[in-house]
Amino acid sequence: MPIADSDGTSIYYERHGSGPAILFVHGSGGHHAAWWQQVAALREEFTVVTVDLRGFGKSDAPTPPNSSRPEFNGQDFPGDVVAVLDQEDLTDAMLVGQSIGSVAALRAGLLRPERVGSVVLGHSLGGISHPELKELAAADRAEAVKLPVIDRLLTKGFQQERADLTFLFQQMGTFNVAKMQDLRNLDTDGPTLDDIQNSGVKVAFLAGEKDAVLSVKTVTRAHELLPGSHLEIVPDAPHSMYWETPAKYNAAVAHLRRTLTAPKEAA
């Protein structure tokens, strides 16, 4: 069983296929198995790595001395990704985050630009520290919380037509010890636009047209503010695009992996 050591915490991960590397970082309700539709589709052309952040899936949940309950610091999650990058000795990897997992992906990329050529921020601004973007994202969240959680993530049409996959989607989170609140301080003191540009790591924003959590308008503005960034808007796709519309999602990820490279002289 592949395990990486992240400052004393055992991090579970899997490696499939061969070719240019893509490492997926799950969101608050996911873990390595959430990427089943991506691994099967992409492993023939790419090295596909999936990881369980601490407290998710098969990874350890750190429990402090004299405590019976795990405690998490969101600032530790990027180190879990870095541990896998180092363990597998990956170079020019593309990190693909889902929702809040994108924050961990971006921070990991900035920590290891010699290993990471690009970061794809899926349905997320990656915790970028910028006043206008924070205001836009906060406005989007204010609208999102008016909806039931499942309606923020999957379209109602999909829920009705694929009750089986909707049920499985909801069950995924039951395998995790960590919860959404354990990830919340991940984006505290996030990177600035200058930090990203100076790293030499390429950034792409990947969003769904029907994302009820983060609007296309907000993502487009982030792209405009970050020179050299890429923008992929997928038609008729929700926040959890990787699950509901995997063919479109996989095509977008494959396209980005084939075309995104980092200017190594600037890294």
Side-chain angles (χ1 to χ4, degrees):
M1 187 170 71
I3 295 291
D5 180 84
S6 177
D7 196 24
T9 299
S10 295
I11 302 300
Y12 178 83
Y13 69 94
E14 294 184 0
R15 179 171 180 162
H16 303 271
S18 61
I22 303 172
L23 188 154
F24 288 100
V25 184
H26 60 77
S28 62
H31 47 73
H32 73 278
W35 303 107
W36 59 282
Q37 297 179 101
Q38 284 64 58
V39 172
L42 299 172
R43 64 187 173 188
E44 295 301 316
E45 183 178 352
F46 306 104
T47 296
V48 181
V49 181
T50 58
V51 60
D52 288 337
L53 299 175
R54 59 185 59 209
F56 291 82
K58 295 183 177 181
S59 288
D60 282 353
T63 302
N66 304 317
S67 175
S68 60
R69 301 180 63 184
E71 291 183 10
F72 300 92
N73 181 346
Q75 301 292 309
D76 293 332
F77 289 105
D80 299 342
V81 179
V82 167
V84 174
L85 290 168
D86 289 345
Q87 175 87 1
E88 288 298 307
D89 194 23
L90 297 176
T91 57
D92 192 33
M94 183 173 82
L95 307 185
V96 181
Q98 169 59 24
S99 193
I100 200 165
S102 294
V103 183
L106 180 57
R107 284 181 178 252
L110 299 183
L111 287 169
R112 286 290 189 278
E114 72 277 12
R115 294 198 179 280
V116 177
S118 55
V119 178
V120 178
L121 305 178
H123 309 274
S124 172
L125 302 183
I128 295 172
S129 180
H130 188 279
E132 182 183 350
L133 294 180
K134 286 188 175 183
E135 184 176 331
L136 289 171
D140 287 345
R141 281 195 300 272
E143 291 301 310
V145 296
K146 297 176 183 178
L147 301 172
V149 173
I150 191 64
D151 290 346
R152 303 175 207 170
L153 308 177
L154 302 172
T155 65
K156 287 192 174 183
F158 181 82
Q159 295 175 52
Q160 293 168 355
E161 295 169 13
R162 295 306 310 264
D164 52 349
L165 286 181
T166 300
F167 177 74
L168 180 59
F169 178 82
Q170 293 172 303
Q171 290 296 104
M172 279 285 174
T174 65
F175 292 89
N176 301 326
V177 174
K179 305 300 179 185
M180 177 66 183
Q181 58 266 29
D182 296 313
L183 293 166
R184 288 198 186 279
N185 74 330
L186 241 178
D187 58 0
T188 302
D189 298 323
T192 66
L193 298 174
D194 286 341
D195 290 335
I196 297 170
Q197 284 195 281
N198 293 338
S199 73
V201 174
K202 290 289 187 181
V203 169
F205 296 94
L206 175 59
E209 183 184 34
K210 293 184 177 179
D211 192 334
V213 177
L214 190 67
S215 70
V216 168
K217 176 184 176 182
T218 296
V219 176
T220 301
R221 183 59 182 148
H223 162 62
E224 292 170 350
L225 288 169
L226 182 58
S229 65
H230 293 248
L231 176 65
E232 292 273 339
I233 304 295
V234 178
D236 300 317
H239 187 73
S240 295
M241 183 199 319
Y242 73 100
W243 189 273
E244 180 170 330
T245 57
K248 292 179 179 180
Y249 179 86
N250 296 342
V253 169
H255 169 71
L256 289 169
R257 173 65 267 201
R258 296 183 193 117
T259 57
L260 284 183
T261 56
K264 293 303 179 183
E265 67 276 8

